[in-house]
Amino acid sequence: MKCRVCGKPANINLRSYKTALCEEDFIAFLEKRVSATIGKYRLIDEADRPIVAVSGGKDSLSLWYMMNKLGYVSDGIYIDLGIEGYSERSLEKVRQMADTLRRRVYVFHVRNALQKGIDGVARVIRRPTCSACGTIKRYIMNRVCIDKGYTVLATGHNLDDEASALFGNVLYWKREYLWKKNVVLEGRGEHLVKKIKPFFLCSEREIAAYAIMKGIDYIYEECPYSEGAKTLVYKEMLNRIEESSPGTKIMFVKGYLKMLKEKGDEKEDGRESRYCLRCGYPTFSDKCSFCWLLDKFGTEYDVEFDQYN
Ligand code: SF4
Ligand code: ZN
C-alpha cells in the first residue's frame, strides 16, 4: 500500500476516507483536520486564552500537544482523583508533557479537598463513582478558568466518544441529553466558560496513531472505574459496524451536527437557569452540586490548585 500523497510506503490505512498515508502525510492530514474544525466552528478567537483538560491519556495529551503546535498556546488542568497508583502514573505523564511543551499545568487533588479518593467520595454521597467524578470534574475545570482567567476549555473527546454517547442517547431516547452534544458549548459570562472539542471529528484510532507517531508518552491503562461502562459496549458495537461499513461513525456524527444546526433556536435549552448563591456556578436550585457535595463533607474548603511549571 502506498501513500496517496507522496507514493512512499503507507503507514496507516484510513478506510473511512478511502485513503492510505505515510507517517508524515498522516500527521499533516490530522493537524489540518483539527485546524479546519477550530476554524469552521470558531472554537478559538485570537483574544482567547485556552486551557486543555488533561488526564494523561492519549486523547488529551495529543490535543494539548497539537494545540500548542498549531499555535494555540495553552496550559493544562489535571484533576487527581486519588485513585491509588493510577492517578500518580497519570500525573507523571501530564508533567512530562508540561515539560516538553514548557507550559503550566494546574493540579486539583480530590484527596486534599475531601480527605478521600473519588471512590470514597462517591460512597459518602451514595452515588456511582463516575457520577461523583463527573460533578467534580465539570466544576473544577470551569473553576480553574474562572479563577485563573482562561477563556476557553478544550477537552480531548473524540469521534468515538461522541458517536457512542449519541448512540446511547438515541437508543434510550434521552431527550434531555440528545441535543446537548456539540463541538462547542458557549459559556455564560463570569459563571461558565466556553467549552470546545477540537477532536470531535477525529477517531480514536487516528489519535492513537498520531500519539505513537509523535512519540507522545501517555498512560495506556484505563481508569479502573471505566470497566463495564455502557459507552465501552457501544464503542465496540460501532467499531463492528465501522469494520463492515467504513465511514459510518463520521456520517452518524456529522449527520447529527447537521440536524443540530437545522434545529437552531427550536431546540429545547434545558440548561440550568440559576446561579449558586455560594460560588456562582449555574444550577437548578440555590446551591450547585459541588457546593452541595462540600456540605455533605461538612467542609468550608475553598478550591485550591497546585501549579506545576
Ligand atoms: Fe471518572 Fe474514571 Fe469514571 Fe471516567 S471512568 S468518569 S475518570 S471515575
Ligand atoms: Zn456552588
Side-chain angles (χ1 to χ4, degrees):
M1 216 176 9
K2 287 185 174 167
C3 171
R4 176 72 71 90
V5 179
C6 71
K8 281 196 282 190
N11 294 87
I12 185 165
N13 184 10
L14 301 169
R15 288 178 65 207
S16 51
Y17 291 92
K18 294 191 178 68
T19 196
L21 297 168
C22 70
E23 190 170 311
E24 201 181 314
D25 286 313
F26 170 71
I27 289 168
F29 165 85
L30 202 70
E31 290 176 349
K32 200 169 148 199
R33 179 128 44 90
V34 174
S35 267
T37 304
I38 293 176
K40 179 175 176 186
Y41 295 94
R42 297 169 177 228
L43 302 191
I44 305 169
D45 286 335
E46 233 167 73
D48 273 325
R49 233 186 123 211
I51 188 166
V52 181
V54 283
S55 66
K58 65 179 181 317
D59 302 302
S60 59
L61 289 188
S62 298
L63 177 63
W64 197 15
Y65 175 88
M66 198 193 285
M67 278 181 54
N68 279 285
K69 187 171 174 226
L70 295 176
Y72 301 105
V73 174
S74 38
D75 291 326
I77 163 74
Y78 173 79
I79 297 176
D80 165 17
L81 297 170
I83 301 171
E84 222 183 305
Y86 174 76
S87 292
E88 287 91 14
R89 289 193 288 279
S90 309
L91 179 55
E92 193 41 44
K93 305 291 181 195
V94 169
R95 283 211 182 108
Q96 271 177 30
M97 182 55 82
D99 288 338
T100 303
L101 299 174
R102 298 199 188 151
R103 298 304 314 169
R104 173 171 302 163
V105 62
Y106 294 95
V107 182
F108 175 81
H109 299 281
V110 170
R111 239 177 239 287
N112 288 1
L114 302 167
Q115 284 75 54
K116 287 183 192 306
I118 194 65
D119 53 336
V121 172
R123 266 196 300 270
V124 171
I125 58 171
R126 296 178 188 203
R127 292 238 304 266
T129 309
C130 293
S131 156
C133 176
T135 299
I136 294 176
K137 275 188 181 169
R138 275 190 298 277
Y139 184 87
I140 294 300
M141 285 172 189
N142 187 63
R143 183 71 184 260
V144 76
C145 296
I146 306 289
D147 286 5
K148 309 288 178 188
Y150 294 93
T151 55
V152 178
L153 172 72
T155 59
H157 293 94
N158 60 43
L159 178 71
D160 296 58
D161 297 325
E162 298 307 321
S164 67
L166 183 58
F167 189 61
N169 289 343
V170 170
L171 213 51
Y172 294 97
W173 289 115
K174 291 187 186 165
R175 283 174 64 108
E176 69 277 29
Y177 300 121
L178 192 57
W179 301 110
K180 282 190 174 173
K181 297 261 158 213
N182 208 342
V183 193
V184 53
L185 294 172
E186 291 303 334
R188 274 193 261 169
E190 79 261 33
H191 301 284
L192 197 65
V193 75
K194 173 177 167 181
K195 296 194 190 85
I196 62 167
K197 297 175 184 174
F199 280 169
F200 208 93
L201 300 173
C202 304
S203 74
E204 199 163 311
R205 180 172 166 262
E206 289 163 354
I207 297 165
Y210 182 86
I212 290 166
M213 289 173 186
K214 281 288 179 186
I216 292 169
D217 187 13
Y218 62 88
I219 184 156
Y220 289 89
E221 57 190 297
E222 299 285 346
C223 170
Y225 298 103
S226 67
E227 226 174 274
K230 269 192 187 165
T231 48
L232 294 184
V233 178
Y234 300 154
K235 275 187 185 179
E236 214 182 294
M237 291 175 75
L238 288 165
N239 279 341
R240 266 196 255 162
I241 299 172
E242 182 77 23
E243 189 59 38
S244 62
S245 312
T248 304
K249 268 189 262 186
I250 191 97
M251 274 167 59
F252 183 44
V253 168
K254 277 192 169 170
Y256 163 79
L257 287 175
K258 193 165 167 255
M259 275 172 67
L260 189 67
K261 200 171 165 206
E262 282 164 8
K263 260 179 99 63
D265 297 338
E266 188 203 316
K267 63 178 183 277
E268 309 106 275
D269 190 5
R271 296 222 279 181
E272 299 87 345
S273 52
R274 293 161 68 181
Y275 297 107
C276 176
L277 295 177
R278 180 153 144 197
C279 74
Y281 191 65
T283 169
F284 288 109
S285 59
D286 284 349
K287 202 180 281 173
C288 74
S289 36
F290 186 78
C291 288
W292 172 86
L293 194 147
L294 290 183
D295 281 355
K296 279 271 174 198
F297 279 79
T299 172
E300 285 296 307
Y301 171 82
D302 196 20
V303 174
E304 278 169 17
F305 297 98
D306 275 358
Q307 206 170 293
Y308 180 73
N309 282 354

